[in-house]
mmCIF file of all heavy atoms in Angstrom:
data_model
loop_
_atom_site.group_PDB
_atom_site.id
_atom_site.type_symbol
_atom_site.label_atom_id
_atom_site.label_comp_id
_atom_site.label_asym_id
_atom_site.label_seq_id
_atom_site.Cartn_x
_atom_site.Cartn_y
_atom_site.Cartn_z
ATOM 1 N N VAL A 20 -9.722 29.287 -24.603
ATOM 2 C CA VAL A 20 -9.636 28.530 -25.847
ATOM 3 C C VAL A 20 -8.345 28.881 -26.584
ATOM 4 O O VAL A 20 -7.662 28.008 -27.144
ATOM 5 C CB VAL A 20 -10.859 28.814 -26.742
ATOM 6 C CG1 VAL A 20 -10.695 28.165 -28.106
ATOM 7 C CG2 VAL A 20 -12.131 28.329 -26.071
ATOM 8 N N GLU A 21 -7.992 30.158 -26.569
ATOM 9 C CA GLU A 21 -6.777 30.603 -27.264
ATOM 10 C C GLU A 21 -5.524 29.981 -26.633
ATOM 11 O O GLU A 21 -4.587 29.581 -27.331
ATOM 12 C CB GLU A 21 -6.671 32.132 -27.236
ATOM 13 C CG GLU A 21 -7.700 32.855 -28.101
ATOM 14 C CD GLU A 21 -9.060 32.958 -27.442
ATOM 15 O OE1 GLU A 21 -9.193 32.549 -26.253
ATOM 16 O OE2 GLU A 21 -10.002 33.437 -28.092
ATOM 17 N N GLN A 22 -5.476 29.917 -25.299
ATOM 18 C CA GLN A 22 -4.311 29.348 -24.617
ATOM 19 C C GLN A 22 -4.194 27.851 -24.889
ATOM 20 O O GLN A 22 -3.101 27.335 -25.097
ATOM 21 C CB GLN A 22 -4.402 29.625 -23.118
ATOM 22 C CG GLN A 22 -4.173 31.082 -22.763
ATOM 23 C CD GLN A 22 -4.510 31.392 -21.318
ATOM 24 O OE1 GLN A 22 -5.438 30.794 -20.736
ATOM 25 N NE2 GLN A 22 -3.771 32.315 -20.716
ATOM 26 N N ILE A 23 -5.331 27.151 -24.906
ATOM 27 C CA ILE A 23 -5.312 25.716 -25.217
ATOM 28 C C ILE A 23 -4.837 25.495 -26.645
ATOM 29 O O ILE A 23 -4.019 24.607 -26.922
ATOM 30 C CB ILE A 23 -6.708 25.097 -25.000
ATOM 31 C CG1 ILE A 23 -7.090 25.160 -23.516
ATOM 32 C CG2 ILE A 23 -6.738 23.652 -25.498
ATOM 33 C CD1 ILE A 23 -8.517 24.750 -23.233
ATOM 34 N N ALA A 24 -5.343 26.320 -27.561
ATOM 35 C CA ALA A 24 -4.939 26.205 -28.967
ATOM 36 C C ALA A 24 -3.438 26.472 -29.135
ATOM 37 O O ALA A 24 -2.748 25.797 -29.889
ATOM 38 C CB ALA A 24 -5.751 27.160 -29.828
ATOM 39 N N ALA A 25 -2.926 27.451 -28.381
ATOM 40 C CA ALA A 25 -1.493 27.781 -28.467
ATOM 41 C C ALA A 25 -0.639 26.622 -27.964
ATOM 42 O O ALA A 25 0.420 26.324 -28.517
ATOM 43 C CB ALA A 25 -1.199 29.043 -27.663
ATOM 44 N N ALA A 26 -1.118 25.955 -26.907
ATOM 45 C CA ALA A 26 -0.367 24.826 -26.349
ATOM 46 C C ALA A 26 -0.447 23.593 -27.244
ATOM 47 O O ALA A 26 0.367 22.677 -27.115
ATOM 48 C CB ALA A 26 -0.896 24.487 -24.960
ATOM 49 N N SER A 27 -1.426 23.576 -28.159
ATOM 50 C CA SER A 27 -1.625 22.419 -29.040
ATOM 51 C C SER A 27 -1.194 22.692 -30.463
ATOM 52 O O SER A 27 -1.566 21.968 -31.387
ATOM 53 C CB SER A 27 -3.112 22.024 -29.031
ATOM 54 O OG SER A 27 -3.605 21.862 -27.726
ATOM 55 N N ASP A 28 -0.408 23.712 -30.655
ATOM 56 C CA ASP A 28 -0.149 24.253 -31.984
ATOM 57 C C ASP A 28 0.364 23.222 -32.983
ATOM 58 O O ASP A 28 -0.056 23.180 -34.127
ATOM 59 C CB ASP A 28 0.845 25.416 -31.878
ATOM 60 C CG ASP A 28 0.968 26.184 -33.180
ATOM 61 O OD1 ASP A 28 -0.065 26.391 -33.830
ATOM 62 O OD2 ASP A 28 2.088 26.566 -33.545
ATOM 63 N N ASP A 29 1.261 22.342 -32.567
ATOM 64 C CA ASP A 29 1.931 21.449 -33.511
ATOM 65 C C ASP A 29 1.333 20.049 -33.584
ATOM 66 O O ASP A 29 1.770 19.237 -34.395
ATOM 67 C CB ASP A 29 3.418 21.334 -33.166
ATOM 68 C CG ASP A 29 4.146 22.665 -33.337
ATOM 69 O OD1 ASP A 29 3.741 23.428 -34.219
ATOM 70 O OD2 ASP A 29 5.084 22.922 -32.578
ATOM 71 N N GLY A 30 0.367 19.729 -32.724
ATOM 72 C CA GLY A 30 -0.230 18.405 -32.737
ATOM 73 C C GLY A 30 0.487 17.422 -31.834
ATOM 74 O O GLY A 30 1.609 17.661 -31.378
ATOM 75 N N GLU A 31 -0.163 16.288 -31.569
ATOM 76 C CA GLU A 31 0.354 15.316 -30.608
ATOM 77 C C GLU A 31 1.667 14.676 -31.061
ATOM 78 O O GLU A 31 2.611 14.550 -30.283
ATOM 79 C CB GLU A 31 -0.698 14.231 -30.358
ATOM 80 C CG GLU A 31 -1.916 14.740 -29.604
ATOM 81 C CD GLU A 31 -3.023 13.715 -29.493
ATOM 82 O OE1 GLU A 31 -2.963 12.684 -30.215
ATOM 83 O OE2 GLU A 31 -3.951 13.931 -28.699
ATOM 84 N N SER A 32 1.730 14.245 -32.303
ATOM 85 C CA SER A 32 2.931 13.562 -32.785
ATOM 86 C C SER A 32 4.157 14.470 -32.721
ATOM 87 O O SER A 32 5.232 14.057 -32.266
ATOM 88 C CB SER A 32 2.725 13.081 -34.226
ATOM 89 O OG SER A 32 3.852 12.380 -34.689
ATOM 90 N N ALA A 33 3.979 15.716 -33.157
ATOM 91 C CA ALA A 33 5.098 16.665 -33.118
ATOM 92 C C ALA A 33 5.501 16.971 -31.685
ATOM 93 O O ALA A 33 6.694 17.138 -31.385
ATOM 94 C CB ALA A 33 4.715 17.950 -33.851
ATOM 95 N N ALA A 34 4.525 17.067 -30.785
ATOM 96 C CA ALA A 34 4.833 17.339 -29.381
ATOM 97 C C ALA A 34 5.660 16.213 -28.780
ATOM 98 O O ALA A 34 6.638 16.445 -28.052
ATOM 99 C CB ALA A 34 3.546 17.529 -28.584
ATOM 100 N N VAL A 35 5.285 14.964 -29.073
ATOM 101 C CA VAL A 35 6.036 13.820 -28.553
ATOM 102 C C VAL A 35 7.460 13.826 -29.105
ATOM 103 O O VAL A 35 8.433 13.626 -28.358
ATOM 104 C CB VAL A 35 5.324 12.500 -28.916
ATOM 105 C CG1 VAL A 35 6.216 11.303 -28.584
ATOM 106 C CG2 VAL A 35 4.007 12.385 -28.168
ATOM 107 N N ALA A 36 7.606 14.075 -30.407
ATOM 108 C CA ALA A 36 8.934 14.109 -31.017
ATOM 109 C C ALA A 36 9.794 15.209 -30.402
ATOM 110 O O ALA A 36 10.992 15.006 -30.138
ATOM 111 C CB ALA A 36 8.812 14.316 -32.521
ATOM 112 N N ASP A 37 9.188 16.377 -30.169
ATOM 113 C CA ASP A 37 9.928 17.493 -29.578
ATOM 114 C C ASP A 37 10.390 17.146 -28.166
ATOM 115 O O ASP A 37 11.536 17.435 -27.794
ATOM 116 C CB ASP A 37 9.048 18.738 -29.550
ATOM 117 C CG ASP A 37 9.701 19.891 -28.795
ATOM 118 O OD1 ASP A 37 10.696 20.432 -29.300
ATOM 119 O OD2 ASP A 37 9.211 20.242 -27.699
ATOM 120 N N LEU A 38 9.534 16.528 -27.381
ATOM 121 C CA LEU A 38 9.886 16.191 -26.008
ATOM 122 C C LEU A 38 10.972 15.118 -25.963
ATOM 123 O O LEU A 38 11.893 15.175 -25.139
ATOM 124 C CB LEU A 38 8.646 15.713 -25.252
ATOM 125 C CG LEU A 38 7.598 16.800 -24.966
ATOM 126 C CD1 LEU A 38 6.290 16.176 -24.479
ATOM 127 C CD2 LEU A 38 8.116 17.800 -23.948
ATOM 128 N N LEU A 39 10.895 14.125 -26.854
ATOM 129 C CA LEU A 39 11.897 13.068 -26.870
ATOM 130 C C LEU A 39 13.280 13.589 -27.267
ATOM 131 O O LEU A 39 14.304 13.004 -26.904
ATOM 132 C CB LEU A 39 11.481 11.958 -27.842
ATOM 133 C CG LEU A 39 10.334 11.057 -27.397
ATOM 134 C CD1 LEU A 39 9.947 10.109 -28.521
ATOM 135 C CD2 LEU A 39 10.707 10.273 -26.146
ATOM 136 N N ALA A 40 13.287 14.703 -28.013
ATOM 137 C CA ALA A 40 14.565 15.270 -28.456
ATOM 138 C C ALA A 40 15.277 16.034 -27.346
ATOM 139 O O ALA A 40 16.450 16.397 -27.495
ATOM 140 C CB ALA A 40 14.327 16.200 -29.649
ATOM 141 N N ARG A 41 14.603 16.255 -26.238
ATOM 142 C CA ARG A 41 15.200 17.028 -25.148
ATOM 143 C C ARG A 41 16.054 16.127 -24.252
ATOM 144 O O ARG A 41 15.718 14.974 -24.015
ATOM 145 C CB ARG A 41 14.108 17.729 -24.337
ATOM 146 C CG ARG A 41 13.346 18.761 -25.181
ATOM 147 C CD ARG A 41 12.133 19.283 -24.440
ATOM 148 N NE ARG A 41 11.342 20.167 -25.278
ATOM 149 C CZ ARG A 41 11.436 21.475 -25.306
ATOM 150 N NH1 ARG A 41 12.329 22.081 -24.530
ATOM 151 N NH2 ARG A 41 10.665 22.198 -26.092
ATOM 152 N N GLU A 42 17.122 16.698 -23.765
ATOM 153 C CA GLU A 42 18.077 15.948 -22.955
ATOM 154 C C GLU A 42 17.419 15.376 -21.706
ATOM 155 O O GLU A 42 16.688 16.063 -20.986
ATOM 156 C CB GLU A 42 19.243 16.855 -22.546
ATOM 157 C CG GLU A 42 20.332 16.144 -21.765
ATOM 158 C CD GLU A 42 21.466 17.065 -21.378
ATOM 159 O OE1 GLU A 42 21.423 18.256 -21.791
ATOM 160 O OE2 GLU A 42 22.378 16.621 -20.672
ATOM 161 N N GLY A 43 17.654 14.105 -21.462
ATOM 162 C CA GLY A 43 17.167 13.467 -20.247
ATOM 163 C C GLY A 43 15.795 12.846 -20.360
ATOM 164 O O GLY A 43 15.347 12.167 -19.435
ATOM 165 N N VAL A 44 15.081 13.049 -21.472
ATOM 166 C CA VAL A 44 13.732 12.498 -21.634
ATOM 167 C C VAL A 44 13.815 11.134 -22.289
ATOM 168 O O VAL A 44 14.359 10.991 -23.385
ATOM 169 C CB VAL A 44 12.847 13.435 -22.476
ATOM 170 C CG1 VAL A 44 11.486 12.796 -22.739
ATOM 171 C CG2 VAL A 44 12.679 14.779 -21.783
ATOM 172 N N THR A 45 13.289 10.115 -21.614
ATOM 173 C CA THR A 45 13.307 8.754 -22.158
ATOM 174 C C THR A 45 11.949 8.320 -22.697
ATOM 175 O O THR A 45 11.868 7.410 -23.521
ATOM 176 C CB THR A 45 13.750 7.749 -21.083
ATOM 177 O OG1 THR A 45 12.857 7.841 -19.952
ATOM 178 C CG2 THR A 45 15.169 8.044 -20.622
ATOM 179 N N GLU A 46 10.863 8.959 -22.240
ATOM 180 C CA GLU A 46 9.515 8.645 -22.719
ATOM 181 C C GLU A 46 8.711 9.943 -22.793
ATOM 182 O O GLU A 46 8.979 10.888 -22.038
ATOM 183 C CB GLU A 46 8.805 7.669 -21.776
ATOM 184 C CG GLU A 46 9.525 6.357 -21.551
ATOM 185 C CD GLU A 46 8.771 5.456 -20.571
ATOM 186 O OE1 GLU A 46 7.524 5.406 -20.643
ATOM 187 O OE2 GLU A 46 9.430 4.825 -19.723
ATOM 188 N N ALA A 47 7.712 9.969 -23.689
ATOM 189 C CA ALA A 47 6.890 11.171 -23.819
ATOM 190 C C ALA A 47 5.512 10.814 -24.343
ATOM 191 O O ALA A 47 5.347 9.877 -25.133
ATOM 192 C CB ALA A 47 7.563 12.181 -24.748
#
Side-chain angles (χ1 to χ4, degrees):
V20 173
E21 290 80 5
Q22 289 170 327
I23 295 172
S27 308
D28 190 40
D29 295 328
E31 291 173 347
S32 182
V35 171
D37 173 69
L38 291 168
L39 287 174
R41 296 171 185 265
E42 183 180 356
V44 175
T45 58
E46 303 178 40

